[in-house]
Amino acid sequence: MAAILLLLTGCSSYEGMEAFHREATSEDELPPEIKLGPEGDPSRDNFRLLSEHEGVKYYAGESDNFLTACLVVFPEDKPTQWIASCSQGVTGQREILTATGPDGSTTKLVTTGFDTKGLEAAGWRKIHENVLVGS
């Protein structure tokens, strides 16, 4: 019985986004324009490039304990209009955060395995397992 409980506990713990199960590459480096927030947020080397879509790069970062996740949206043709948003207390499969850019564009960051069918039915476009864009 204890072995079954241990297996169930192990399966339900959040192990971060799938993108962080690989080593970082030079593609994952944040552009120098990106200025990160206070201590406790993921460090620059804890970010991964998730997607490039319509001239915009989408990066995600996670703290070492997976409890804080950040999204950076970097429009390559307007590098001064980048946005970054973070959320703490990330656990399980869920929507992590929604970020809105200066142009009104919106982006959602979700955990790996989160069912996005409802968001997609509401008009969100899935461009990566962890990233959805709105208008």
Side-chain angles (χ1 to χ4, degrees):
M1 185 68 143
I4 292 172
L5 183 58
L6 182 60
L7 284 173
L8 290 174
T9 304
C11 292
S12 65
S13 65
Y14 179 63
E15 296 180 3
M17 287 179 258
E18 185 74 25
F20 294 92
H21 295 193
R22 66 168 175 79
E23 291 295 317
T25 67
S26 60
E27 277 191 339
D28 297 316
E29 290 180 24
L30 290 172
E33 295 90 341
I34 306 298
K35 306 297 182 222
L36 297 177
E39 293 258 339
D41 287 344
S43 63
R44 292 185 78 83
D45 58 343
N46 279 3
F47 277 80
R48 300 292 185 274
L49 175 64
L50 299 182
S51 181
E52 293 182 57
H53 181 72
E54 296 180 354
V56 179
K57 290 185 174 185
Y58 299 87
Y59 298 86
E62 284 189 321
S63 59
D64 291 334
N65 63 5
F66 310 121
L67 293 177
T68 300
C70 298
L71 172 70
V72 171
V73 179
F74 185 78
E76 293 182 285
D77 62 340
K78 298 176 186 172
T80 60
Q81 293 187 14
W82 61 270
I83 58 170
S85 183
C86 295
S87 180
Q88 295 182 341
V90 179
T91 57
Q93 295 178 342
R94 68 181 188 93
E95 182 179 326
I96 298 172
L97 60 87
T98 302
T100 303
D103 62 355
S105 63
T106 52
T107 307
K108 286 191 184 289
L109 181 66
V110 300
T111 57
T112 299
F114 178 70
D115 183 359
T116 60
K117 290 178 189 143
L119 293 171
E120 292 174 80
W124 290 89
R125 268 185 309 149
K126 190 173 192 173
I127 61 169
H128 180 272
E129 179 178 17
N130 303 105
V131 180
L132 295 98
V133 293
S135 53

